[in-house]
């Protein structure tokens, strides 16, 4: 709260254009950004309902929610990193690593709680390393997290001896088959993660610091924000969410697989951008990410229902990635045009500024 109060007192957020660049004062943003993905989901739902008999069935809806849960949890963490101006290519490797760490601890202690704590601690440490490397080496997060991703895969193979980790407590099987109120446990975990991450990013002062740091780091520093701390925190959050996803996967499979999580780093970035968050940072919302995940999951589910082969599904997913990047470019172009239309004409003082500077 101290940092946000400093912003209000100094007025730097308005003078530097911080609020506009971070998307926090986005009143003039094109309405198409907020309605495009919901409309796309409606079109997909109508098309799949007409082409199949089971798309809107209760069982298939639960199947879509269950299949999207792991990606959604990872993408929620990825949203924080992207909101802060970076992205994390190690989250896929982290899912396997943290799930393996938790599984090994559970196997040795037969304690689910200790396994969960070990996985969470592993996620915190990995995220902390990512964040500290980014701010210390001042190298783009793409390269840092690409390197730590490879390291994470190697550590996972060493810990598991490239084999699945079994012998977990029998009580964890309830997580894989249990359905409180008729909804699978993994879906409830996704809902809780959605609520927590929405509060952190959209309600708490921490979210303001992250969005401000991602939108304009120099302006955020001038406003008194601890930019480096905010950036490191986003990687830690991504690590914790990857740990949750890893333990959820381990519980569903009743074992830890060293190869789970492959591709999640790309899918999570695509979901965040497809949902409408800015790839360059400063503008993000968890509900947007959820919509992006839902689009990807609905497309995959529709292809399965229509009997499309795995090879063509890979092609379709690749097209989705391209569309996600294209959507980001279109959003930048539309915001640029909107800004030019609404920019006030320069005042006389501003127009004469270059001449005055030249004289002095």
């Amino acid at each position: 709260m101290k940092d946000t109060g400093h912003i209000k007192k100094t007025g730097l957020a308005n003078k530097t254009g911080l609020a506009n660049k971070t998307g926090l004062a986005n009143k003039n943003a094109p309405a198409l950004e907020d309605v495009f993905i919901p409309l796309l989901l409606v079109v997909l739902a109508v098309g799949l309902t007409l082409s199949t008999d089971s798309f809107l069935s209760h069982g298939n809806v639960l199947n879509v929610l269950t299949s999207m849960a792991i990606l959604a949890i990872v993408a929620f963490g990825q949203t924080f990193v992207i909101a802060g101006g970076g992205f994390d290519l190690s989250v896929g490797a982290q899912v396997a690593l943290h799930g393996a760490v938790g599984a090994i601890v559970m196997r040795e202690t037969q304690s689910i709680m200790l396994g969960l704590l070990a996985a969470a601690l592993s996620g915190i440490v990995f995220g902390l390393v990512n964040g500290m490397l980014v701010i210390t080496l001042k190298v783009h997060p793409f390269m840092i997290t690409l390197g730590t991703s490879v390291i994470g895969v190697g550590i996972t193979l060493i810990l598991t001896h490239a084999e699945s980790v079994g012998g977990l407590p029998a009580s964890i099987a309830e997580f894989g088959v249990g359905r409180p109120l008729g909804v699978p446990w993994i879906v409830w975990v996704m809902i809780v993660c959605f609520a927590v991450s929405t509060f952190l990013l959209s309600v708490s002062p921490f979210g303001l610091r992250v969005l401000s740091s991602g939108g304009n780091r120099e302006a955020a520093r001038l406003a008194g924000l601890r930019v480096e701390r905010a950036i490191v925190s986003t990687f830690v959050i991504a690590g914790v969410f990857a740990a949750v996803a890893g333990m959820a996967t381990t519980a569903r499979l009743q074992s830890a697989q060293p190869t789970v999580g492959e591709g999640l780093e790309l899918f999570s970035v695509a979901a965040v951008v497809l949902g409408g968050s800015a790839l360059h940072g400063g503008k993000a919302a968890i509900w947007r990410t959820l919509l992006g995940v839902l689009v990807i999951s609905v497309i995959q589910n529709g292809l399965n229902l229509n009997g499309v082969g795995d090879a063509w599904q890979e092609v379709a997913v690749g097209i989705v990635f391209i569309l996600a990047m294209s959507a980001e470019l279109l959003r930048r172009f539309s915001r640029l045009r909107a800004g030019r239309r609404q920019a006030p004409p320069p005042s006389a003082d501003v127009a004469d500024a270059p001449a005055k500077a030249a004289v002095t």
Side-chain angles (χ1 to χ4, degrees):
M1 293 297 292
K2 182 178 179 180
D3 288 335
T4 56
H6 185 65
I7 295 176
K8 293 177 181 177
K9 290 178 181 179
T10 59
L12 287 172
N14 292 328
K15 292 181 181 180
T16 60
L18 179 60
N20 290 330
K21 291 191 176 183
T22 58
L24 296 175
N26 203 23
K27 297 180 180 179
N28 296 321
L32 183 62
E33 291 188 32
D34 294 330
V35 301
F36 174 73
I37 294 300
L39 286 177
L40 177 59
L41 283 171
V42 171
V43 170
L44 288 173
V46 171
L48 292 174
T49 301
L50 295 176
S51 63
T52 64
D53 297 329
S54 58
F55 176 72
L56 289 180
S57 66
H58 179 265
N60 190 61
V61 170
L62 285 181
N63 183 45
V64 171
L65 293 175
T66 302
S67 64
M68 69 180 280
I70 297 298
L71 174 58
I73 294 169
V74 174
F76 294 157
Q78 185 77 260
T79 303
F80 285 90
V81 181
I82 291 179
F87 52 96
D88 192 345
L89 293 182
S90 70
V91 289
Q94 287 191 64
V95 170
L97 174 60
H98 307 325
V101 170
I104 292 172
V105 172
M106 283 193 293
R107 182 189 63 189
E108 299 301 323
T109 64
Q110 290 298 299
S111 170
I112 295 177
M113 183 58 65
L114 288 178
L116 292 173
L117 291 175
L121 180 60
S122 177
I124 292 172
V125 171
F126 203 106
L128 189 60
V129 170
N130 273 341
M132 292 302 295
L133 287 175
V134 168
I135 66 170
T136 302
L137 300 180
K138 301 191 183 304
V139 177
H140 195 280
F142 177 92
M143 297 306 299
I144 295 294
T145 57
L146 179 61
T148 56
S149 174
V150 177
I151 293 173
V153 171
I155 295 175
T156 303
L157 293 175
I158 292 172
L159 292 176
T160 63
H161 303 289
E163 297 177 351
S164 61
V165 179
L168 306 184
S171 56
I172 202 173
E174 175 61 23
F175 184 85
V177 299
R179 293 194 170 198
L181 302 179
V183 178
W185 268 112
I186 185 63
V187 178
W188 286 114
V189 173
M190 177 184 69
I191 293 172
V192 171
C193 290
F194 173 81
V196 171
S197 52
T198 297
F199 172 80
L200 287 176
L201 188 60
S202 301
V203 179
S204 72
F206 171 74
L208 174 63
R209 291 194 289 270
V210 170
L211 291 168
S212 300
S213 300
N216 189 324
R217 292 188 181 180
E218 187 58 32
R221 288 191 179 94
L222 291 174
L225 300 184
R226 297 177 178 177
V227 174
E228 287 75 14
R229 178 181 294 184
I231 293 172
V232 172
S233 298
T234 63
F235 285 98
V236 172
I237 290 173
V240 172
F241 276 87
V244 173
M247 287 303 294
T249 303
T250 297
R252 287 188 65 196
L253 300 177
Q254 297 298 295
S255 64
Q257 304 293 332
T259 57
V260 299
E262 291 182 354
L264 279 175
E265 62 280 352
L266 299 179
F267 277 92
S268 62
V269 172
V272 174
V273 179
L274 188 62
S277 297
L279 184 60
H280 55 79
K283 177 188 175 185
I286 301 300
W287 67 267
R288 293 180 182 274
T289 297
L290 184 64
L291 289 180
V293 173
L294 191 57
V295 167
I296 294 174
S297 299
V298 167
I299 290 175
Q300 291 178 324
N301 178 258
L303 294 174
N304 285 325
L305 292 178
N306 283 283
V308 178
D310 292 340
W312 284 107
Q313 288 193 31
E314 293 292 331
V315 173
V317 170
I319 293 174
V320 170
F321 287 169
I322 295 174
L323 289 176
M325 297 302 106
S326 300
E328 167 65 10
L329 291 176
L330 289 175
R331 282 192 292 270
R332 289 192 189 185
F333 179 71
S334 64
R335 286 195 294 268
L336 181 61
R337 291 188 60 187
R340 287 177 175 175
R341 287 197 303 267
Q342 295 160 5
S347 64
D349 292 338
V350 174
D352 293 339
K356 293 178 180 179
V359 171
T360 57

